[in-house]
Amino acid sequence: MAKAWVLLEVLDGKIKRVSWEMVTLAQQTGAQEIVGLLIGQGVQDLTGEASQYGFDKIVLVDHPAVEKYSASSYTAILTELYEKEKPELLFIANTAQGRDFAPRLAQRIGAGQVSDVTAYQGLAAANEGAKEVAATHTEQGPSTEATLAGQGAFIRPIYAGKAFASVRANSFPLVVTVRPNAFTAAAPQEGSEQGKATPVVEVPSLAATEAPVDLSAVIKEVVKHISSRPELTEADIIVSGGRGIKGPENFPLIESLADTLGAAVGASRAAVDAGWRHHDDQVGQTGKTVSPTLYIACGISGAIQHLAGMNSSKVIVAINKDPEANIFKVADYGIVGDLFEVVPLLQAEFEKVLH
Ligand code: FAD
């Protein structure tokens, strides 16, 4: 029976939405047993919420030693848990945290890794796709029920999002990191009583009790960039500004549109390097990767490094005064014009519809 594990990522005492998106992917792979993992301190209280997502079991490691995330302790705990149950598939969010420890875990347990997955193609569709690949390519068919789950194709962007690779595993276990906002979040099951629907197994993890001292990195303090707006990687709508904004004094224009839409505010590296925005807001290759439903780029030229972070957005709107700007090549809707005129007009129209 193929097992899939989903590591529920917790931030500020809340389970991040990407966790429920990973449940959707785990279901799509056809895994017969889906287990949710909760690691941290005080996370026991979150099992009630997690129980609503149809897990067969929730494994809980609640220990003061893992109050703060560290790559070494997470790797040690997950390696220990893995050795007990040997799941075929391990899903981890492709966030700063997941990207940090997933490769270490894969190496430690001898797993392959597929990173930054944005879609999954079931076995039949993947086989169709494989026929189009060179005739010399030999596919290993699934031999057991266990290997059936996850034998389809994991789709991931490559070359800064210019192309998509279709990755199929021929051996397990497999560590899969999943891009936030790429999959629809599983819906909580109506009627399931909080905390009662799913068995919760608290594991007295030795690795947690003896949390290894990481000499290479010690987290002393977590400094949060406080914002009342949604977190960039989880936001449904993002309004971003670039060098075309001309200075920090003009960013309220972008913020105001964002607030009308309930959106997060992003920025190009040019705006961040100029000191107009905090680095937390940077979208792109050396910033955050985002996949919102709507991305509005204002005064951003569309350099490949910026596109790498946002071109999987579902709908892209670009406002730029240069009709030749590269951003228009990826935009679904392009507005050629001065953003200082266009943005207030757009906002006024949205206000009429939304408020
Ligand atoms: P510009 O390229 O200067 O574009 C400004 C745009 O504003 C122009 O298209 C202009 O026509 C338009 N404009 C000006 N005035 C107005 C107006 N009044 N109304 C409307 N439009 C106007 N960049 C990122 O964004 N994210 C990254 O993560 C990133 N990582 C990088 C990593 C590496 C290794 C390297 C080498 C570069 C990276 N960059 C990144 C930088 C990237 O190459 C570009 O330099 C940067 O994205 C440009 O930002 P911009 O579009 O805001 O500025």
Side-chain angles (χ1 to χ4, degrees):
M1 190 161 94
K3 284 185 201 162
W5 279 8
V6 175
L7 179 67
L8 307 176
E9 188 166 318
V10 178
L11 183 71
D12 295 336
K14 288 192 187 123
I15 301 176
K16 292 179 85 175
R17 189 177 63 187
V18 63
S19 308
W20 317 133
E21 294 164 6
M22 291 192 285
V23 171
T24 302
L25 173 57
Q27 289 165 344
Q28 287 178 4
T29 62
Q32 285 88 11
E33 187 185 296
I34 302 177
V35 175
L37 304 182
L38 261 173
I39 299 176
Q41 189 190 16
V43 288
Q44 185 146 25
D45 296 348
L46 300 172
T47 53
E49 184 191 357
S51 293
Q52 297 178 303
Y53 287 84
F55 291 113
D56 293 287
K57 180 169 78 178
I58 293 168
V59 172
L60 176 71
V61 178
D62 198 326
H63 198 277
V66 278
E67 182 203 351
K68 287 187 190 131
Y69 161 80
S70 98
S72 54
S73 58
Y74 268 54
T75 306
I77 293 167
L78 281 159
T79 303
E80 184 190 348
L81 296 178
Y82 170 81
E83 290 304 334
K84 285 186 188 141
E85 296 203 21
K86 302 237 161 102
E88 282 76 20
L89 295 161
L90 294 94
F91 295 107
I92 295 168
N94 196 60
T95 52
Q97 178 180 305
R99 282 200 301 265
D100 186 35
F101 82 90
R104 302 173 203 226
L105 174 67
Q107 191 279 335
R108 200 69 67 82
I109 64 175
Q113 182 173 334
V114 195
S115 304
D116 201 16
V117 167
T118 55
Y120 182 76
Q121 228 176 21
L123 196 55
N127 276 334
E128 271 308 304
K131 284 183 197 157
E132 291 163 22
V133 179
T136 49
H137 185 75
T138 51
E139 286 295 327
Q140 285 186 9
S143 52
T144 66
E145 187 195 8
T147 57
L148 253 172
Q151 278 272 340
F154 292 94
I155 312 295
R156 61 180 299 264
I158 53 170
Y159 303 128
K162 276 194 175 290
F164 288 90
S166 167
V167 183
R168 295 184 67 182
N170 55 15
S171 73
F172 292 89
L174 195 63
V175 169
V176 180
T177 67
V178 182
R179 180 179 289 199
N181 268 353
F183 292 86
T184 309
Q189 289 168 2
E190 277 179 35
S192 66
E193 233 178 292
Q194 288 227 347
K196 291 200 177 162
T198 312
V200 177
V201 184
E202 183 154 13
V203 179
S205 163
L206 203 63
T209 326
E210 299 171 354
V213 180
D214 187 343
L215 294 176
S216 58
V218 177
I219 297 178
K220 293 198 161 172
E221 192 189 358
V222 177
V223 181
K224 288 183 198 132
H225 178 211
I226 311 247
S227 166
S228 55
R229 300 193 179 90
E231 207 276 313
L232 208 51
T233 56
E234 300 227 311
D236 231 16
I237 305 177
I238 296 173
V239 185
S240 274
R243 207 189 321 253
I245 300 292
K246 305 223 183 324
E249 67 282 5
N250 296 325
F251 252 94
L253 195 70
I254 299 297
E255 290 171 340
S256 183
L257 175 58
D259 291 341
T260 296
L261 295 169
V265 173
S268 71
R269 178 161 161 179
V272 170
D273 282 354
W276 303 348
R277 298 300 293 184
H278 194 274
H279 181 258
D280 267 4
D281 295 346
Q282 186 179 316
V283 172
Q285 190 179 310
T286 42
K288 289 182 175 161
T289 304
V290 298
S291 287
T293 308
L294 174 63
Y295 187 90
I296 306 181
C298 309
I300 294 177
S301 60
I304 179 81
Q305 297 90 352
H306 188 81
L307 301 187
M310 47 62 77
N311 64 2
S312 60
S313 306
K314 277 102 198 156
V315 175
I316 299 172
V317 175
I319 304 166
N320 198 303
K321 65 179 184 185
D322 174 8
E324 302 297 324
N326 204 42
I327 192 83
F328 289 128
K329 292 188 182 147
V330 297
D332 299 279
Y333 299 94
I335 303 173
V336 179
D338 186 337
L339 71 91
F340 294 99
E341 289 168 20
V342 175
V343 171
L345 286 175
L346 260 185
Q347 189 182 346
E349 290 304 313
F350 282 129
E351 284 285 352
K352 280 187 211 160
V353 183
L354 299 171
H355 296 285

